[in-house]
Amino acid sequence: MNEFLSEEIPFNDIPHDKFLAIQICKGYRPKISKDVPKLLADLIIKCWDAEIENRPTTKELYQMLTKWNDEIKNVEDSEIYSQVKECDEIRRKNFGSKSNKDKSINIQTHPQAVYTSRLLNFKDLPKPVNSSDLSSFQVNLDAEHAIQSTLANSLSAQLSELELKEFWQK
C-alpha cells in the first residue's frame, strides 16, 4: 500500500543483504510521505507490525477500506475526506504541475537491490521488533531523499560491532 501511494520503491537505494534484513528485524521500515492521509499511514504501520497477530486481517482491511471509500464519496465532513483533501493540497504544493511520472523517472535503483523472489537464508537474525520511533515513518517530501541517502550511508554504522563480526563470520 505504501509503495502504491508513494509511487516509490522501498529500499531502492541500498543493497538488499543481511545488513538490511537485520535493520528490518530491528524495526527499520520504508518512509511514509506526508502526502499519504494519516488514516492510511496508520493502517500501513499496523500492517508492518512485527507481531503477526497485531496485523489486520484481509477481511478487516477490506471492511476498513470499503468504509473509507464510501465515506469519501458520500460524506464531505468525514475524517478520511478531510485528510485526502489536505494531502492533495500537499501534493499540489510540492509537485505543482509536475506529473507523478516525472517523479518516478529519476529513481535510480542500487545494483544490489533485488525485487524478484529469491531465497534469503540468513541465519541468526534478531527477533523482529517494531520501530521505537513511529514519528520517523512520516517525513517531509523535500527532506525525504536526503534522509534516505543518509540512512543508506549509515546503515552499517548502526549495527553493533558484535553483529558485524557475526555477519562476516557466516
mmCIF file of all heavy atoms in Angstrom, residues 61-111:
data_model
loop_
_atom_site.group_PDB
_atom_site.id
_atom_site.type_symbol
_atom_site.label_atom_id
_atom_site.label_comp_id
_atom_site.label_asym_id
_atom_site.label_seq_id
_atom_site.Cartn_x
_atom_site.Cartn_y
_atom_site.Cartn_z
ATOM 1 N N LEU A 61 -9.057 -5.375 6.586
ATOM 2 C CA LEU A 61 -8.580 -4.391 5.612
ATOM 3 C C LEU A 61 -9.677 -4.044 4.604
ATOM 4 O O LEU A 61 -9.918 -2.871 4.310
ATOM 5 C CB LEU A 61 -7.349 -4.916 4.865
ATOM 6 C CG LEU A 61 -6.041 -4.948 5.629
ATOM 7 C CD1 LEU A 61 -4.971 -5.680 4.820
ATOM 8 C CD2 LEU A 61 -5.576 -3.546 5.964
ATOM 9 N N TYR A 62 -10.314 -5.078 4.091
ATOM 10 C CA TYR A 62 -11.380 -4.871 3.112
ATOM 11 C C TYR A 62 -12.495 -4.008 3.709
ATOM 12 O O TYR A 62 -12.952 -3.049 3.088
ATOM 13 C CB TYR A 62 -11.930 -6.217 2.634
ATOM 14 C CG TYR A 62 -13.106 -6.074 1.710
ATOM 15 C CD1 TYR A 62 -12.918 -5.756 0.368
ATOM 16 C CD2 TYR A 62 -14.408 -6.233 2.181
ATOM 17 C CE1 TYR A 62 -13.989 -5.593 -0.478
ATOM 18 C CE2 TYR A 62 -15.490 -6.077 1.332
ATOM 19 C CZ TYR A 62 -15.276 -5.755 0.005
ATOM 20 O OH TYR A 62 -16.348 -5.593 -0.831
ATOM 21 N N GLN A 63 -12.919 -4.339 4.921
ATOM 22 C CA GLN A 63 -14.008 -3.598 5.561
ATOM 23 C C GLN A 63 -13.623 -2.140 5.818
ATOM 24 O O GLN A 63 -14.409 -1.225 5.567
ATOM 25 C CB GLN A 63 -14.407 -4.278 6.875
ATOM 26 C CG GLN A 63 -15.117 -5.600 6.665
ATOM 27 C CD GLN A 63 -15.309 -6.389 7.957
ATOM 28 O OE1 GLN A 63 -14.623 -6.170 8.959
ATOM 29 N NE2 GLN A 63 -16.244 -7.331 7.922
ATOM 30 N N MET A 64 -12.400 -1.919 6.287
ATOM 31 C CA MET A 64 -11.934 -0.560 6.567
ATOM 32 C C MET A 64 -11.842 0.273 5.295
ATOM 33 O O MET A 64 -12.329 1.409 5.234
ATOM 34 C CB MET A 64 -10.554 -0.647 7.234
ATOM 35 C CG MET A 64 -10.287 0.409 8.251
ATOM 36 S SD MET A 64 -8.677 0.175 9.061
ATOM 37 C CE MET A 64 -8.721 -1.521 9.590
ATOM 38 N N LEU A 65 -11.214 -0.290 4.261
ATOM 39 C CA LEU A 65 -11.040 0.450 3.009
ATOM 40 C C LEU A 65 -12.373 0.701 2.316
ATOM 41 O O LEU A 65 -12.587 1.777 1.734
ATOM 42 C CB LEU A 65 -10.064 -0.295 2.089
ATOM 43 C CG LEU A 65 -8.628 -0.372 2.599
ATOM 44 C CD1 LEU A 65 -7.795 -1.299 1.714
ATOM 45 C CD2 LEU A 65 -7.992 1.001 2.693
ATOM 46 N N THR A 66 -13.285 -0.263 2.389
ATOM 47 C CA THR A 66 -14.621 -0.080 1.814
ATOM 48 C C THR A 66 -15.357 1.045 2.537
ATOM 49 O O THR A 66 -15.975 1.911 1.904
ATOM 50 C CB THR A 66 -15.433 -1.392 1.890
ATOM 51 O OG1 THR A 66 -14.734 -2.394 1.154
ATOM 52 C CG2 THR A 66 -16.826 -1.212 1.313
ATOM 53 N N LYS A 67 -15.269 1.058 3.864
ATOM 54 C CA LYS A 67 -15.922 2.104 4.666
ATOM 55 C C LYS A 67 -15.374 3.483 4.288
ATOM 56 O O LYS A 67 -16.133 4.425 4.043
ATOM 57 C CB LYS A 67 -15.708 1.824 6.150
ATOM 58 C CG LYS A 67 -16.260 2.876 7.071
ATOM 59 C CD LYS A 67 -15.936 2.536 8.529
ATOM 60 C CE LYS A 67 -16.332 3.668 9.419
ATOM 61 N NZ LYS A 67 -15.217 4.263 10.119
ATOM 62 N N TRP A 68 -14.038 3.590 4.214
ATOM 63 C CA TRP A 68 -13.432 4.875 3.869
ATOM 64 C C TRP A 68 -13.785 5.292 2.453
ATOM 65 O O TRP A 68 -14.021 6.468 2.181
ATOM 66 C CB TRP A 68 -11.923 4.817 4.033
ATOM 67 C CG TRP A 68 -11.475 4.724 5.465
ATOM 68 C CD1 TRP A 68 -12.195 5.067 6.585
ATOM 69 C CD2 TRP A 68 -10.220 4.270 5.939
ATOM 70 N NE1 TRP A 68 -11.459 4.846 7.711
ATOM 71 C CE2 TRP A 68 -10.230 4.360 7.345
ATOM 72 C CE3 TRP A 68 -9.086 3.787 5.313
ATOM 73 C CZ2 TRP A 68 -9.157 3.994 8.129
ATOM 74 C CZ3 TRP A 68 -8.004 3.430 6.094
ATOM 75 C CH2 TRP A 68 -8.038 3.524 7.491
ATOM 76 N N ASN A 69 -13.834 4.350 1.533
ATOM 77 C CA ASN A 69 -14.201 4.654 0.160
ATOM 78 C C ASN A 69 -15.631 5.190 0.092
ATOM 79 O O ASN A 69 -15.904 6.167 -0.614
ATOM 80 C CB ASN A 69 -14.047 3.411 -0.717
ATOM 81 C CG ASN A 69 -14.256 3.703 -2.178
ATOM 82 O OD1 ASN A 69 -13.702 4.661 -2.713
ATOM 83 N ND2 ASN A 69 -15.069 2.895 -2.828
ATOM 84 N N ASP A 70 -16.534 4.558 0.826
ATOM 85 C CA ASP A 70 -17.924 5.029 0.861
ATOM 86 C C ASP A 70 -18.016 6.420 1.479
ATOM 87 O O ASP A 70 -18.740 7.279 0.992
ATOM 88 C CB ASP A 70 -18.803 4.051 1.649
ATOM 89 C CG ASP A 70 -18.976 2.716 0.931
ATOM 90 O OD1 ASP A 70 -18.685 2.642 -0.287
ATOM 91 O OD2 ASP A 70 -19.383 1.737 1.596
ATOM 92 N N GLU A 71 -17.264 6.639 2.551
ATOM 93 C CA GLU A 71 -17.285 7.947 3.222
ATOM 94 C C GLU A 71 -16.754 9.046 2.314
ATOM 95 O O GLU A 71 -17.286 10.146 2.285
ATOM 96 C CB GLU A 71 -16.442 7.909 4.504
ATOM 97 C CG GLU A 71 -17.101 7.176 5.640
ATOM 98 C CD GLU A 71 -16.210 7.126 6.881
ATOM 99 O OE1 GLU A 71 -15.188 7.849 6.937
ATOM 100 O OE2 GLU A 71 -16.553 6.366 7.797
ATOM 101 N N ILE A 72 -15.704 8.751 1.592
ATOM 102 C CA ILE A 72 -15.081 9.763 0.743
ATOM 103 C C ILE A 72 -16.024 10.188 -0.385
ATOM 104 O O ILE A 72 -16.016 11.326 -0.815
ATOM 105 C CB ILE A 72 -13.721 9.251 0.214
ATOM 106 C CG1 ILE A 72 -12.693 10.329 0.333
ATOM 107 C CG2 ILE A 72 -13.775 8.771 -1.191
ATOM 108 C CD1 ILE A 72 -11.287 9.837 0.138
ATOM 109 N N LYS A 73 -16.832 9.240 -0.842
ATOM 110 C CA LYS A 73 -17.769 9.541 -1.928
ATOM 111 C C LYS A 73 -19.005 10.281 -1.429
ATOM 112 O O LYS A 73 -19.565 11.099 -2.141
ATOM 113 C CB LYS A 73 -18.243 8.244 -2.589
ATOM 114 C CG LYS A 73 -17.204 7.553 -3.414
ATOM 115 C CD LYS A 73 -17.788 6.271 -3.970
ATOM 116 C CE LYS A 73 -16.773 5.456 -4.715
ATOM 117 N NZ LYS A 73 -17.312 4.159 -5.138
ATOM 118 N N ASN A 74 -19.427 9.970 -0.215
ATOM 119 C CA ASN A 74 -20.740 10.420 0.242
ATOM 120 C C ASN A 74 -20.742 11.449 1.366
ATOM 121 O O ASN A 74 -21.732 12.135 1.552
ATOM 122 C CB ASN A 74 -21.568 9.209 0.701
ATOM 123 C CG ASN A 74 -21.723 8.184 -0.405
ATOM 124 O OD1 ASN A 74 -21.944 8.541 -1.554
ATOM 125 N ND2 ASN A 74 -21.586 6.918 -0.068
ATOM 126 N N VAL A 75 -19.668 11.541 2.127
ATOM 127 C CA VAL A 75 -19.696 12.414 3.296
ATOM 128 C C VAL A 75 -18.491 13.344 3.282
ATOM 129 O O VAL A 75 -17.378 12.945 3.580
ATOM 130 C CB VAL A 75 -19.686 11.569 4.607
ATOM 131 C CG1 VAL A 75 -19.845 12.469 5.813
ATOM 132 C CG2 VAL A 75 -20.757 10.504 4.588
ATOM 133 N N GLU A 76 -18.742 14.596 2.930
ATOM 134 C CA GLU A 76 -17.641 15.544 2.822
ATOM 135 C C GLU A 76 -17.077 15.970 4.165
ATOM 136 O O GLU A 76 -15.998 16.528 4.233
ATOM 137 C CB GLU A 76 -18.077 16.771 2.020
ATOM 138 C CG GLU A 76 -18.257 16.469 0.560
ATOM 139 C CD GLU A 76 -18.497 17.703 -0.268
ATOM 140 O OE1 GLU A 76 -18.248 18.824 0.224
ATOM 141 O OE2 GLU A 76 -18.924 17.552 -1.417
ATOM 142 N N ASP A 77 -17.792 15.705 5.250
ATOM 143 C CA ASP A 77 -17.266 16.074 6.557
ATOM 144 C C ASP A 77 -16.636 14.882 7.289
ATOM 145 O O ASP A 77 -16.362 14.947 8.470
ATOM 146 C CB ASP A 77 -18.350 16.718 7.423
ATOM 147 C CG ASP A 77 -19.513 15.782 7.723
ATOM 148 O OD1 ASP A 77 -19.645 14.753 7.030
ATOM 149 O OD2 ASP A 77 -20.284 16.084 8.650
ATOM 150 N N SER A 78 -16.366 13.785 6.552
ATOM 151 C CA SER A 78 -15.733 12.621 7.172
ATOM 152 C C SER A 78 -14.238 12.876 7.367
ATOM 153 O O SER A 78 -13.632 13.708 6.686
ATOM 154 C CB SER A 78 -15.930 11.372 6.316
ATOM 155 O OG SER A 78 -15.147 11.443 5.148
ATOM 156 N N GLU A 79 -13.646 12.142 8.277
ATOM 157 C CA GLU A 79 -12.221 12.277 8.570
ATOM 158 C C GLU A 79 -11.373 11.932 7.353
ATOM 159 O O GLU A 79 -10.439 12.649 7.013
ATOM 160 C CB GLU A 79 -11.846 11.380 9.761
ATOM 161 C CG GLU A 79 -10.410 11.515 10.203
ATOM 162 C CD GLU A 79 -10.038 12.884 10.739
ATOM 163 O OE1 GLU A 79 -10.935 13.627 11.201
ATOM 164 O OE2 GLU A 79 -8.848 13.232 10.674
ATOM 165 N N ILE A 80 -11.679 10.845 6.685
ATOM 166 C CA ILE A 80 -10.875 10.435 5.527
ATOM 167 C C ILE A 80 -10.976 11.467 4.399
ATOM 168 O O ILE A 80 -9.989 11.786 3.739
ATOM 169 C CB ILE A 80 -11.227 8.998 5.034
ATOM 170 C CG1 ILE A 80 -10.223 8.502 3.979
ATOM 171 C CG2 ILE A 80 -12.637 8.926 4.495
ATOM 172 C CD1 ILE A 80 -8.846 8.221 4.472
ATOM 173 N N TYR A 81 -12.160 12.033 4.203
ATOM 174 C CA TYR A 81 -12.343 13.051 3.164
ATOM 175 C C TYR A 81 -11.451 14.262 3.442
ATOM 176 O O TYR A 81 -10.743 14.743 2.555
ATOM 177 C CB TYR A 81 -13.809 13.478 3.085
ATOM 178 C CG TYR A 81 -14.084 14.478 1.997
ATOM 179 C CD1 TYR A 81 -14.360 14.066 0.694
ATOM 180 C CD2 TYR A 81 -14.075 15.845 2.263
ATOM 181 C CE1 TYR A 81 -14.604 14.987 -0.315
ATOM 182 C CE2 TYR A 81 -14.317 16.770 1.254
ATOM 183 C CZ TYR A 81 -14.590 16.338 -0.023
ATOM 184 O OH TYR A 81 -14.825 17.252 -1.022
ATOM 185 N N SER A 82 -11.459 14.739 4.693
ATOM 186 C CA SER A 82 -10.653 15.920 5.022
ATOM 187 C C SER A 82 -9.160 15.610 4.918
ATOM 188 O O SER A 82 -8.371 16.452 4.479
ATOM 189 C CB SER A 82 -11.004 16.460 6.407
ATOM 190 O OG SER A 82 -10.725 15.511 7.396
ATOM 191 N N GLN A 83 -8.751 14.388 5.284
ATOM 192 C CA GLN A 83 -7.340 14.025 5.184
ATOM 193 C C GLN A 83 -6.890 13.918 3.723
ATOM 194 O O GLN A 83 -5.794 14.348 3.379
ATOM 195 C CB GLN A 83 -7.068 12.706 5.910
ATOM 196 C CG GLN A 83 -7.104 12.848 7.414
ATOM 197 C CD GLN A 83 -6.747 11.558 8.117
ATOM 198 O OE1 GLN A 83 -6.144 10.653 7.547
ATOM 199 N NE2 GLN A 83 -7.107 11.480 9.398
ATOM 200 N N VAL A 84 -7.732 13.365 2.869
ATOM 201 C CA VAL A 84 -7.389 13.257 1.450
ATOM 202 C C VAL A 84 -7.269 14.646 0.829
ATOM 203 O O VAL A 84 -6.338 14.924 0.073
ATOM 204 C CB VAL A 84 -8.410 12.379 0.686
ATOM 205 C CG1 VAL A 84 -8.229 12.498 -0.812
ATOM 206 C CG2 VAL A 84 -8.276 10.927 1.129
ATOM 207 N N LYS A 85 -8.206 15.543 1.176
ATOM 208 C CA LYS A 85 -8.128 16.916 0.659
ATOM 209 C C LYS A 85 -6.842 17.599 1.105
ATOM 210 O O LYS A 85 -6.168 18.272 0.321
ATOM 211 C CB LYS A 85 -9.344 17.732 1.119
ATOM 212 C CG LYS A 85 -10.597 17.474 0.296
ATOM 213 C CD LYS A 85 -11.684 18.449 0.634
ATOM 214 C CE LYS A 85 -11.290 19.776 0.076
ATOM 215 N NZ LYS A 85 -12.328 20.661 -0.332
ATOM 216 N N GLU A 86 -6.486 17.419 2.365
ATOM 217 C CA GLU A 86 -5.262 18.018 2.902
ATOM 218 C C GLU A 86 -4.029 17.463 2.177
ATOM 219 O O GLU A 86 -3.114 18.209 1.815
ATOM 220 C CB GLU A 86 -5.179 17.715 4.398
ATOM 221 C CG GLU A 86 -3.983 18.320 5.091
ATOM 222 C CD GLU A 86 -3.972 17.982 6.580
ATOM 223 O OE1 GLU A 86 -5.045 17.895 7.197
ATOM 224 O OE2 GLU A 86 -2.859 17.792 7.106
ATOM 225 N N CYS A 87 -4.013 16.163 1.928
ATOM 226 C CA CYS A 87 -2.878 15.539 1.238
ATOM 227 C C CYS A 87 -2.812 15.962 -0.228
ATOM 228 O O CYS A 87 -1.721 16.123 -0.776
ATOM 229 C CB CYS A 87 -2.956 14.020 1.364
ATOM 230 S SG CYS A 87 -2.614 13.473 3.045
ATOM 231 N N ASP A 88 -3.956 16.140 -0.852
ATOM 232 C CA ASP A 88 -3.971 16.650 -2.224
ATOM 233 C C ASP A 88 -3.327 18.028 -2.294
ATOM 234 O O ASP A 88 -2.596 18.340 -3.231
ATOM 235 C CB ASP A 88 -5.407 16.718 -2.768
ATOM 236 C CG ASP A 88 -5.965 15.359 -3.137
ATOM 237 O OD1 ASP A 88 -5.171 14.395 -3.235
ATOM 238 O OD2 ASP A 88 -7.197 15.255 -3.317
ATOM 239 N N GLU A 89 -3.599 18.857 -1.280
ATOM 240 C CA GLU A 89 -3.017 20.188 -1.222
ATOM 241 C C GLU A 89 -1.495 20.107 -1.047
ATOM 242 O O GLU A 89 -0.746 20.846 -1.683
ATOM 243 C CB GLU A 89 -3.640 20.988 -0.073
ATOM 244 C CG GLU A 89 -3.237 22.439 -0.046
ATOM 245 C CD GLU A 89 -3.554 23.173 -1.343
ATOM 246 O OE1 GLU A 89 -4.619 22.933 -1.944
ATOM 247 O OE2 GLU A 89 -2.721 23.997 -1.760
ATOM 248 N N ILE A 90 -1.028 19.174 -0.223
ATOM 249 C CA ILE A 90 0.414 18.971 -0.031
ATOM 250 C C ILE A 90 1.050 18.558 -1.354
ATOM 251 O O ILE A 90 2.096 19.075 -1.745
ATOM 252 C CB ILE A 90 0.683 17.909 1.062
ATOM 253 C CG1 ILE A 90 0.287 18.457 2.425
ATOM 254 C CG2 ILE A 90 2.147 17.482 1.057
ATOM 255 C CD1 ILE A 90 0.291 17.415 3.531
ATOM 256 N N ARG A 91 0.398 17.633 -2.081
ATOM 257 C CA ARG A 91 0.922 17.190 -3.380
ATOM 258 C C ARG A 91 1.009 18.351 -4.358
ATOM 259 O O ARG A 91 2.003 18.504 -5.062
ATOM 260 C CB ARG A 91 0.036 16.091 -3.961
ATOM 261 C CG ARG A 91 0.501 14.723 -3.613
ATOM 262 C CD ARG A 91 -0.310 13.651 -4.327
ATOM 263 N NE ARG A 91 -0.682 12.687 -3.319
ATOM 264 C CZ ARG A 91 -1.875 12.535 -2.800
ATOM 265 N NH1 ARG A 91 -2.883 13.248 -3.217
ATOM 266 N NH2 ARG A 91 -2.096 11.655 -1.865
ATOM 267 N N ARG A 92 -0.054 19.160 -4.420
ATOM 268 C CA ARG A 92 -0.057 20.307 -5.340
ATOM 269 C C ARG A 92 1.063 21.281 -4.989
ATOM 270 O O ARG A 92 1.746 21.800 -5.864
ATOM 271 C CB ARG A 92 -1.398 21.034 -5.291
ATOM 272 C CG ARG A 92 -2.378 20.563 -6.336
ATOM 273 C CD ARG A 92 -3.552 21.497 -6.526
ATOM 274 N NE ARG A 92 -4.499 21.615 -5.440
ATOM 275 C CZ ARG A 92 -5.312 20.658 -4.961
ATOM 276 N NH1 ARG A 92 -5.307 19.523 -5.446
ATOM 277 N NH2 ARG A 92 -6.136 20.851 -3.991
ATOM 278 N N LYS A 93 1.260 21.502 -3.695
ATOM 279 C CA LYS A 93 2.296 22.433 -3.251
ATOM 280 C C LYS A 93 3.694 21.897 -3.579
ATOM 281 O O LYS A 93 4.554 22.641 -4.031
ATOM 282 C CB LYS A 93 2.164 22.682 -1.742
ATOM 283 C CG LYS A 93 3.076 23.763 -1.218
ATOM 284 C CD LYS A 93 2.740 24.153 0.201
ATOM 285 C CE LYS A 93 3.120 23.031 1.140
ATOM 286 N NZ LYS A 93 3.000 23.370 2.548
ATOM 287 N N ASN A 94 3.913 20.604 -3.369
ATOM 288 C CA ASN A 94 5.245 20.028 -3.582
ATOM 289 C C ASN A 94 5.553 19.706 -5.032
ATOM 290 O O ASN A 94 6.694 19.774 -5.449
ATOM 291 C CB ASN A 94 5.418 18.760 -2.742
ATOM 292 C CG ASN A 94 5.607 19.085 -1.279
ATOM 293 O OD1 ASN A 94 6.306 20.015 -0.939
ATOM 294 N ND2 ASN A 94 4.960 18.328 -0.422
ATOM 295 N N PHE A 95 4.549 19.293 -5.789
ATOM 296 C CA PHE A 95 4.807 18.852 -7.158
ATOM 297 C C PHE A 95 4.283 19.808 -8.204
ATOM 298 O O PHE A 95 4.660 19.705 -9.359
ATOM 299 C CB PHE A 95 4.211 17.452 -7.388
ATOM 300 C CG PHE A 95 4.818 16.408 -6.507
ATOM 301 C CD1 PHE A 95 4.067 15.775 -5.538
ATOM 302 C CD2 PHE A 95 6.152 16.074 -6.627
ATOM 303 C CE1 PHE A 95 4.628 14.825 -4.710
ATOM 304 C CE2 PHE A 95 6.730 15.123 -5.810
ATOM 305 C CZ PHE A 95 5.965 14.505 -4.846
ATOM 306 N N GLY A 96 3.408 20.710 -7.837
ATOM 307 C CA GLY A 96 2.868 21.682 -8.780
ATOM 308 C C GLY A 96 2.311 21.011 -10.012
ATOM 309 O O GLY A 96 1.499 20.110 -9.930
ATOM 310 N N SER A 97 2.802 21.417 -11.174
ATOM 311 C CA SER A 97 2.288 20.859 -12.423
ATOM 312 C C SER A 97 3.066 19.618 -12.861
ATOM 313 O O SER A 97 2.720 18.999 -13.856
ATOM 314 C CB SER A 97 2.357 21.917 -13.523
ATOM 315 O OG SER A 97 3.708 22.294 -13.724
ATOM 316 N N LYS A 98 4.145 19.259 -12.121
ATOM 317 C CA LYS A 98 4.904 18.065 -12.491
ATOM 318 C C LYS A 98 4.043 16.835 -12.273
ATOM 319 O O LYS A 98 3.372 16.704 -11.271
ATOM 320 C CB LYS A 98 6.176 17.942 -11.644
ATOM 321 C CG LYS A 98 7.230 18.937 -12.014
ATOM 322 C CD LYS A 98 8.522 18.856 -11.264
ATOM 323 C CE LYS A 98 8.730 17.797 -10.268
ATOM 324 N NZ LYS A 98 9.995 17.867 -9.564
ATOM 325 N N SER A 99 4.069 15.958 -13.216
ATOM 326 C CA SER A 99 3.294 14.728 -13.072
ATOM 327 C C SER A 99 4.055 13.735 -12.211
ATOM 328 O O SER A 99 5.253 13.848 -12.006
ATOM 329 C CB SER A 99 3.022 14.105 -14.444
ATOM 330 O OG SER A 99 4.220 13.567 -14.961
ATOM 331 N N ASN A 100 3.338 12.732 -11.712
ATOM 332 C CA ASN A 100 3.977 11.683 -10.930
ATOM 333 C C ASN A 100 4.944 10.876 -11.788
ATOM 334 O O ASN A 100 5.889 10.298 -11.275
ATOM 335 C CB ASN A 100 2.929 10.763 -10.306
ATOM 336 C CG ASN A 100 2.202 11.455 -9.170
ATOM 337 O OD1 ASN A 100 2.705 12.415 -8.598
ATOM 338 N ND2 ASN A 100 1.031 10.966 -8.846
ATOM 339 N N LYS A 101 4.719 10.833 -13.104
ATOM 340 C CA LYS A 101 5.641 10.129 -13.993
ATOM 341 C C LYS A 101 7.009 10.804 -13.956
ATOM 342 O O LYS A 101 8.029 10.143 -13.970
ATOM 343 C CB LYS A 101 5.096 10.095 -15.419
ATOM 344 C CG LYS A 101 3.958 9.125 -15.600
ATOM 345 C CD LYS A 101 3.479 9.102 -17.023
ATOM 346 C CE LYS A 101 2.282 8.175 -17.153
ATOM 347 N NZ LYS A 101 1.713 8.177 -18.472
ATOM 348 N N ASP A 102 7.027 12.148 -13.910
ATOM 349 C CA ASP A 102 8.291 12.878 -13.826
ATOM 350 C C ASP A 102 9.032 12.502 -12.545
ATOM 351 O O ASP A 102 10.246 12.405 -12.526
ATOM 352 C CB ASP A 102 8.063 14.391 -13.840
ATOM 353 C CG ASP A 102 7.489 14.882 -15.155
ATOM 354 O OD1 ASP A 102 7.649 14.177 -16.173
ATOM 355 O OD2 ASP A 102 6.875 15.964 -15.156
ATOM 356 N N LYS A 103 8.288 12.306 -11.481
ATOM 357 C CA LYS A 103 8.869 11.967 -10.183
ATOM 358 C C LYS A 103 9.553 10.598 -10.239
ATOM 359 O O LYS A 103 10.646 10.424 -9.724
ATOM 360 C CB LYS A 103 7.749 11.972 -9.136
ATOM 361 C CG LYS A 103 8.145 11.572 -7.750
ATOM 362 C CD LYS A 103 6.917 11.632 -6.861
ATOM 363 C CE LYS A 103 7.039 10.727 -5.668
ATOM 364 N NZ LYS A 103 5.842 10.640 -4.893
ATOM 365 N N SER A 104 8.925 9.621 -10.879
ATOM 366 C CA SER A 104 9.457 8.264 -10.866
ATOM 367 C C SER A 104 10.565 8.039 -11.895
ATOM 368 O O SER A 104 11.316 7.093 -11.776
ATOM 369 C CB SER A 104 8.334 7.255 -11.078
ATOM 370 O OG SER A 104 7.722 7.470 -12.322
ATOM 371 N N ILE A 105 10.710 8.911 -12.877
ATOM 372 C CA ILE A 105 11.739 8.742 -13.905
ATOM 373 C C ILE A 105 13.134 8.856 -13.297
ATOM 374 O O ILE A 105 14.054 8.181 -13.712
ATOM 375 C CB ILE A 105 11.550 9.777 -15.046
ATOM 376 C CG1 ILE A 105 10.337 9.396 -15.869
ATOM 377 C CG2 ILE A 105 12.785 9.869 -15.913
ATOM 378 C CD1 ILE A 105 9.959 10.425 -16.907
ATOM 379 N N ASN A 106 13.313 9.687 -12.277
ATOM 380 C CA ASN A 106 14.622 9.962 -11.707
ATOM 381 C C ASN A 106 15.079 8.923 -10.684
ATOM 382 O O ASN A 106 16.156 9.062 -10.126
ATOM 383 C CB ASN A 106 14.628 11.352 -11.061
ATOM 384 C CG ASN A 106 14.410 12.430 -12.093
ATOM 385 O OD1 ASN A 106 14.847 12.300 -13.230
ATOM 386 N ND2 ASN A 106 13.724 13.489 -11.708
ATOM 387 N N ILE A 107 14.301 7.903 -10.407
ATOM 388 C CA ILE A 107 14.673 6.909 -9.412
ATOM 389 C C ILE A 107 15.765 6.002 -9.958
ATOM 390 O O ILE A 107 15.626 5.435 -11.032
ATOM 391 C CB ILE A 107 13.457 6.056 -8.990
ATOM 392 C CG1 ILE A 107 12.427 6.915 -8.270
ATOM 393 C CG2 ILE A 107 13.879 4.890 -8.108
ATOM 394 C CD1 ILE A 107 11.146 6.190 -7.932
ATOM 395 N N GLN A 108 16.869 5.921 -9.220
ATOM 396 C CA GLN A 108 17.939 5.015 -9.583
ATOM 397 C C GLN A 108 18.004 3.938 -8.510
ATOM 398 O O GLN A 108 18.083 4.240 -7.326
ATOM 399 C CB GLN A 108 19.258 5.755 -9.687
ATOM 400 C CG GLN A 108 19.307 6.687 -10.862
ATOM 401 C CD GLN A 108 20.685 7.282 -11.050
ATOM 402 O OE1 GLN A 108 21.548 7.185 -10.194
ATOM 403 N NE2 GLN A 108 20.892 7.905 -12.193
ATOM 404 N N THR A 109 17.984 2.693 -8.933
ATOM 405 C CA THR A 109 17.991 1.583 -8.006
ATOM 406 C C THR A 109 19.411 1.108 -7.760
ATOM 407 O O THR A 109 20.204 0.999 -8.694
ATOM 408 C CB THR A 109 17.134 0.429 -8.575
ATOM 409 O OG1 THR A 109 15.823 0.928 -8.839
ATOM 410 C CG2 THR A 109 17.024 -0.714 -7.592
ATOM 411 N N HIS A 110 19.727 0.828 -6.512
ATOM 412 C CA HIS A 110 21.035 0.306 -6.147
ATOM 413 C C HIS A 110 21.253 -1.026 -6.872
ATOM 414 O O HIS A 110 20.325 -1.823 -6.991
ATOM 415 C CB HIS A 110 21.097 0.105 -4.630
ATOM 416 C CG HIS A 110 22.464 -0.178 -4.127
ATOM 417 N ND1 HIS A 110 23.045 -1.414 -4.231
ATOM 418 C CD2 HIS A 110 23.375 0.628 -3.520
ATOM 419 C CE1 HIS A 110 24.250 -1.376 -3.709
ATOM 420 N NE2 HIS A 110 24.481 -0.149 -3.264
ATOM 421 N N PRO A 111 22.457 -1.300 -7.369
ATOM 422 C CA PRO A 111 22.694 -2.547 -8.112
ATOM 423 C C PRO A 111 22.428 -3.811 -7.281
ATOM 424 O O PRO A 111 22.164 -4.868 -7.840
ATOM 425 C CB PRO A 111 24.169 -2.467 -8.519
ATOM 426 C CG PRO A 111 24.706 -1.207 -7.990
ATOM 427 C CD PRO A 111 23.629 -0.436 -7.316
#
